[in-house]
Amino acid sequence: MENRDYVDFLRDLLSLDETVRTQASNCVQDFVNLLSVTQARVVGDLIAMLAPREESRVALEALLHALSDLDGCGKLEGVDLSPLGEIPESMIHVEHRMYMDAFAEDIARAE
């Protein structure tokens, strides 16, 4: 992925606008194969750090789904998923559970 597009994507992940954050997270599946190993690791680490602070139920699901997309393409290697363990239990709803279960070993291993 070209640096300009990559930086724009990272900015969107950090947007104050919930819709922009959600759309950016949803876009990961569209270009996951274009990410270099380093880009994928940075995106994975960033998403893992953002997830515990996400207040929107929809945006949180999109973030977790983005991590799942990275994982499905083998691009989570080296990503620190331990911050996912900081997601408040009150924020984990049924739509988040399958993702949290899928990452449970990685979260526990890092703790």
Side-chain angles (χ1 to χ4, degrees), residues 21 44-57 59-61 63-64 67 80-92 96 100 107 111:
R21 291 191 313 273
D45 283 337
L46 179 60
I47 289 173
M49 287 185 281
L50 291 173
R53 283 140 194 88
E54 182 55 64
E55 296 176 359
S56 162
R57 196 169 161 166
L60 177 58
E61 182 179 9
L63 287 169
L64 294 173
L67 287 173
D80 179 11
L81 296 178
S82 64
L84 297 180
E86 299 170 19
I87 298 174
E89 191 63 37
S90 62
M91 283 297 296
I92 300 173
H96 308 120
M100 295 303 290
I107 295 167
E111 291 178 340

Side-chain angles (χ1 to χ4, degrees), residues 2 6 17 21 31 33 37 39 64 70 72-73 75-76 87-89:
E2 293 194 30
Y6 181 68
D17 184 321
R21 291 191 313 273
F31 58 77
N33 290 316
V37 172
Q39 288 172 332
L64 294 173
L70 289 168
C73 291
K75 295 204 173 183
L76 270 186
I87 298 174
E89 191 63 37

Side-chain angles (χ1 to χ4, degrees), residues 13-82:
L13 281 176
L14 295 166
S15 174
L16 295 177
D17 184 321
E18 170 189 340
T19 303
V20 173
R21 291 191 313 273
T22 301
Q23 289 173 343
S25 298
N26 287 334
C27 286
V28 170
Q29 68 184 358
D30 296 334
F31 58 77
V32 68
N33 290 316
L34 300 175
L35 295 172
S36 71
V37 172
T38 300
Q39 288 172 332
R41 189 175 58 247
V42 169
V43 167
D45 283 337
L46 179 60
I47 289 173
M49 287 185 281
L50 291 173
R53 283 140 194 88
E54 182 55 64
E55 296 176 359
S56 162
R57 196 169 161 166
V58 173
L60 177 58
E61 182 179 9
L63 287 169
L64 294 173
H65 187 84
L67 287 173
S68 181
D69 287 335
L70 289 168
D71 189 35
C73 291
K75 295 204 173 183
L76 270 186
E77 189 170 332
V79 172
D80 179 11
L81 296 178
S82 64

